[in-house]
């Protein structure tokens, strides 16, 4: 049974990166103090879906992002659901030619503009995904660090969600990330200055539906 806990249709609200497309509804429960969260740098856990949506178990928050803010037509929604036997976040929407739809979060409790996370003791990022489409789907992991000096600068790691396979684990090592955009394309990936991560659909796809959970360093 699916239950929308905090998601709604994403609206074009300016964000730090490509533009926040999502004004997600906040839980009515009292927010824990920042000091009560354990940072992902210490625990290795970015989000185990144990906190009220859109808060992560490491104290940051998920946001929906699309190309609408720069004049594109892609759109979507982000919600917390019981999906195929797991508590997870579900991204749905339509991604048009040349556009993107993604989910993103700051990795630091200090915020992506002020805080940095040192991922040096880890090898990469892993998470579980589920896509119902029968065909394989290409996605991207996007990481920002201090060397990403423009909105569209990222370190990219492509992965494939296999069709009709059900839940599957995605693991992307730091060595797989390729710099794109000013700063990132000329500097080797610095794992000690991480700011932000995103999971992105950036190819034409009508009816995007991707569930994810268990987001961690490994």
């Amino acid at each position: 049974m699916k239950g929308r806990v905090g998601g709604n249709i994403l609206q074009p609200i300016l964000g730090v990166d490509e533009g926040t497309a999502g004004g997600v509804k906040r839980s009515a429960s009292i927010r824990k103090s920042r000091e009560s969260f354990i940072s992902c740098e210490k625990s290795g856990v970015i989000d185990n879906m144990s906190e009220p949506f859109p808060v992560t178990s490491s104290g940051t928050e998920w946001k929906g992002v699309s190309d609408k803010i720069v004049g594109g037509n892609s759109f979507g929604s982000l919600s917390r659901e019981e999906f195929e036997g797991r508590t997870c976040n579900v991204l749905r929407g339509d991604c048009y030619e040349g556009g993107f739809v993604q989910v993103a979060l700051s990795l630091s409790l200090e915020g992506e503009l002020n805080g940095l996370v040192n991922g040096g003791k880890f090898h990469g990022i892993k998470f579980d995904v589920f896509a119902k489409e029968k065909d394989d789907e290409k996605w991207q992991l996007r990481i920002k660090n201090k060397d990403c000096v423009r909105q569209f600068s990222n370190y990219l790691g492509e992965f494939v969600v296999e069709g009709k396979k059900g839940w599957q684990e995605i693991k992307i090592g730091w060595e797989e990330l390729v710099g794109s955009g000013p700063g990132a394309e000329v500097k080797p990936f610095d794992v000690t200055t991480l700011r932000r991560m995103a999971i992105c659909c950036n190819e034409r796809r009508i009816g995007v539906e991707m569930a994810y959970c268990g987001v961690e360093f490994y």
Side-chain angles (χ1 to χ4, degrees):
M1 178 178 179
K2 296 181 181 179
R4 297 176 69 86
V5 177
N8 67 323
I9 298 302
L10 305 183
Q11 300 298 325
I13 302 171
L14 182 62
V16 174
D17 189 6
E18 290 87 350
T20 297
V24 291
K25 298 177 182 177
R26 296 178 183 275
S27 168
S29 63
I30 298 175
R31 174 74 184 272
K32 287 163 52 173
S33 67
R34 189 173 67 179
E35 291 73 21
S36 65
F37 290 99
I38 301 175
S39 73
C40 58
E41 180 178 324
K42 292 182 179 180
S43 70
V45 178
I46 298 169
D47 194 12
N48 61 16
M49 307 291 160
S50 60
E51 294 294 327
F53 182 82
V55 180
T56 71
S57 55
S58 56
T60 59
E61 294 190 9
W62 290 105
K63 298 177 181 179
V65 180
S66 85
D67 60 80
K68 254 188 183 304
I69 195 63
V70 291
N73 296 311
S74 303
F75 65 92
S77 66
L78 179 62
S79 60
R80 172 69 51 81
E81 302 181 8
E82 294 298 320
F83 188 94
E84 298 293 338
R86 300 192 190 185
T87 300
C88 58
N89 289 346
V90 184
L91 173 67
R92 296 185 177 91
D94 292 341
C95 184
Y96 293 98
E97 193 72 35
F100 62 88
V101 176
Q102 68 181 27
V103 294
L105 80 165
S106 168
L107 290 168
S108 170
L109 282 166
E110 301 297 328
E112 63 188 270
L113 293 180
N114 301 313
L116 298 175
V117 165
N118 185 344
K121 68 179 182 180
F122 305 105
H123 301 290
I125 288 178
K126 67 177 183 178
F127 46 90
D128 293 338
V129 299
F130 189 106
K132 285 188 173 180
E133 295 299 318
K134 64 179 180 180
D135 298 321
D136 292 353
E137 295 180 342
K138 293 181 180 179
W139 289 77
Q140 286 183 339
L141 174 69
R142 296 183 171 187
I143 301 292
K144 281 185 177 292
N145 66 8
K146 70 174 181 59
D147 294 321
C148 297
V149 296
R150 294 290 185 268
Q151 289 182 342
F152 289 92
S153 300
N154 292 278
Y155 290 86
L156 310 176
E158 294 191 347
F159 63 94
V160 174
V161 179
E162 298 181 44
K164 295 295 185 180
K165 189 177 180 179
W167 284 106
Q168 50 204 278
E169 184 182 63
I170 304 297
K171 296 179 74 172
I172 299 176
W174 302 136
E175 72 281 357
E176 300 177 56
L177 300 178
V178 177
S180 174
E185 62 188 4
V186 296
K187 293 187 177 182
F189 181 63
D190 182 359
V191 71
T192 68
T193 62
L194 308 180
R195 294 188 185 278
R196 187 176 191 262
M197 70 159 283
I199 302 171
C200 176
C201 171
N202 70 330
E203 62 180 18
R204 179 178 172 81
R205 193 176 305 150
I206 306 303
V208 172
E209 182 179 65
M210 194 270 286
Y212 66 95
C213 61
V215 187
E216 302 178 358
F217 293 127
Y218 73 89

